[in-house]
């Protein structure tokens, strides 16, 4: 048996996987050390390894596979999920990983893996033949990106992602919105998606539902914004450069 070729069948390897061939944990750890010394295996983090390709000299596991195996409940989310779906127009070197179990941030092969507390395991897909990738579906990804846009990608990147998207499943969007129970999120979703309603296949009923949940609070669309156009429909002050407000008024003071 050639252990290296056996381990090549898995993108992510743990000591327990190697122990299947030995039945002795000390022997399994020794085998891992030998493979690492020979440049056939590399450590990602504690008890997490991947083989090195004999052809390219690069790690076998990609960043999406690594993110999906950090904890038993970890999954690719936010901007990194947009990258997985080919929506994002640039590669980030920060990998956003949601999980019910926290983990310490770490860097491997040029990428930094950042923990985000998971609020729900709804809307997680595990594509077949992907090497164990777990990733939020398109609708959950969109809701999460808009919810956390000030913390992660920023408004410009989120708007670019929205512009690249196509048809969305309306029922899924409403389901994930309901999970968060966040008035501000309904405001942001309604405002940002209205311009793309036809391309995304969203009905007037979807926006009516969003509007019914926004309450009376008036807010700035982004955290660092100090002025802009006021959109009375969604009760938001939006940056002048983002969209030209229709039937809006300029606001320079706090609301």
């Amino acid at each position: 048996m050639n252990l290296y070729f056996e381990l090549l069948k898995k993108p992510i390897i743990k000591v327990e996987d190697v122990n299947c061939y030995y039945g002795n944990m000390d022997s399994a750890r020794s085998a891992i050390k030998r493979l690492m010394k020979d440049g056939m295996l590399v450590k990602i983090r504690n008890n997490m390894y991947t083989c090195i390709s004999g052809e390219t000299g690069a790690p076998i596991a990609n960043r999406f596979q690594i993110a999906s195996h950090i904890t038993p409940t970890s999954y690719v989310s936010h901007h990194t999920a947009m990258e997985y779906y080919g929506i994002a127009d640039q590669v980030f070197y920060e990998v956003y990983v949601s999980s019910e179990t926290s983990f310490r941030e770490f860097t491997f092969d040029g990428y930094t893996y950042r923990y985000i507390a998971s609020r729900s395991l709804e809307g997680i897909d595990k594509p077949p033949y992907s090497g164990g990738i777990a990733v939020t579906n398109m609708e959950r990804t969109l809701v999460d990106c808009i919810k956390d846009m000030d913390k992660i990608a920023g408004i410009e990147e989120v708007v670019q992602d929205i512009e690249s998207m196509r048809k969305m499943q309306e029922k899924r969007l409403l389901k994930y919105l309901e999970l968060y129970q966040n008035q501000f999120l309904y405001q942001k979703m309604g405002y940002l998606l209205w311009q793309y309603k036809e391309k995304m296949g969203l009905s007037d009923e979807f926006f009516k539902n969003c509007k019914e949940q926004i309450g009376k609070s008036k807010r700035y669309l982004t955290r660092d914004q100090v002025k802009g156009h006021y959109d009375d429909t969604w009760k938001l002050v939006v940056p002048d450069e983002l969209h030209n407000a229709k039937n809006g008024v300029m606001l320079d003071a706090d609301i």
Side-chain angles (χ1 to χ4, degrees):
M1 178 198 72
N2 187 310
L3 180 60
Y4 171 73
F5 287 109
E6 290 297 319
L7 296 180
L8 275 175
K9 299 174 183 177
K10 284 191 169 188
I12 303 295
I13 300 153
K14 298 190 174 184
V15 176
E16 293 81 0
D17 299 317
V18 180
N19 191 45
C20 292
Y21 301 98
Y22 290 92
N24 181 289
M25 291 297 283
D26 289 337
S27 297
R29 292 189 181 96
S30 295
I32 287 173
K33 289 179 181 178
R34 287 195 298 272
L35 289 172
M36 290 177 64
K37 184 178 179 180
D38 293 338
M40 296 180 177
L41 198 70
V42 64
K43 183 178 180 179
I44 299 171
R45 66 193 300 264
N46 288 339
N47 197 22
M48 195 172 180
Y49 306 85
T50 189
C51 287
I52 295 295
S53 169
E55 296 180 358
T56 66
I60 292 293
N62 61 45
R63 63 190 185 278
F64 308 114
Q65 292 167 332
I66 292 171
S68 303
H69 288 82
I70 296 172
T71 76
T73 59
S74 65
Y75 54 91
V76 178
S77 66
H78 295 77
H79 184 82
T80 310
M82 291 288 189
E83 290 184 64
Y84 177 80
Y85 291 117
I87 297 296
D89 61 356
Q90 62 177 313
V91 176
F92 278 36
Y93 289 93
E94 293 179 310
V95 179
Y96 295 100
V97 187
S98 291
S99 172
E100 292 189 329
T101 305
S102 64
F103 62 86
R104 186 173 296 178
E105 178 183 302
F106 66 95
T107 300
F108 174 75
D109 197 32
Y111 292 97
T112 298
Y113 293 79
R114 301 195 184 281
Y115 163 72
I116 300 173
S118 173
R119 295 282 298 275
S120 172
L121 294 179
E122 292 278 356
I124 312 301
D125 285 346
K126 296 184 177 181
Y129 314 113
S130 66
I133 291 174
V135 58
T136 50
N137 62 34
M138 287 292 293
E139 288 79 10
R140 170 76 189 273
T141 299
L142 176 59
V143 172
D144 285 347
C145 284
I146 291 177
K147 179 177 74 72
D148 296 325
M149 66 184 184
D150 276 338
K151 300 177 183 178
I152 299 180
I155 181 64
E156 293 84 3
E157 189 66 33
V158 169
V159 169
Q160 288 179 15
D161 291 342
I162 291 172
E163 289 175 345
S164 299
M165 288 180 160
R166 294 295 181 264
K167 191 172 178 63
M168 294 281 108
Q169 293 191 35
E170 186 172 303
K171 289 183 178 179
R172 283 186 177 181
L173 288 176
L174 291 172
K175 177 182 180 181
Y176 305 140
L177 281 168
E178 188 175 355
L179 282 174
Y180 289 121
Q181 292 291 305
N182 185 311
Q183 288 185 350
F184 188 24
L185 179 55
Y186 279 103
Q187 285 175 280
K188 291 188 288 186
M189 288 288 291
Y191 177 77
L192 290 172
L193 300 191
W194 175 258
Q195 183 177 342
Y196 307 97
K197 57 180 293 190
E198 293 184 4
K199 184 172 70 171
M200 290 186 168
L202 300 176
S203 69
D204 289 339
E205 190 65 26
F206 171 82
F207 293 96
K208 178 182 177 183
N209 190 301
C210 287
K211 192 172 182 182
E212 288 173 349
Q213 304 299 323
I214 68 175
K216 298 181 179 180
S217 297
K218 299 176 181 179
R219 299 179 173 92
Y220 288 101
L221 179 61
T222 62
R223 181 174 53 196
D224 299 327
Q225 181 186 341
V226 293
K227 59 183 179 180
H229 283 92
Y230 179 61
D231 185 287
D232 187 56
T233 299
W234 299 105
K235 303 186 187 306
L236 288 171
V237 182
V238 300
D240 294 333
E241 65 274 14
L242 183 61
H243 291 298
N244 291 324
K246 295 181 179 179
N247 301 318
V249 294
M250 287 295 294
L251 292 184
D252 294 317
D254 290 344
I255 54 173

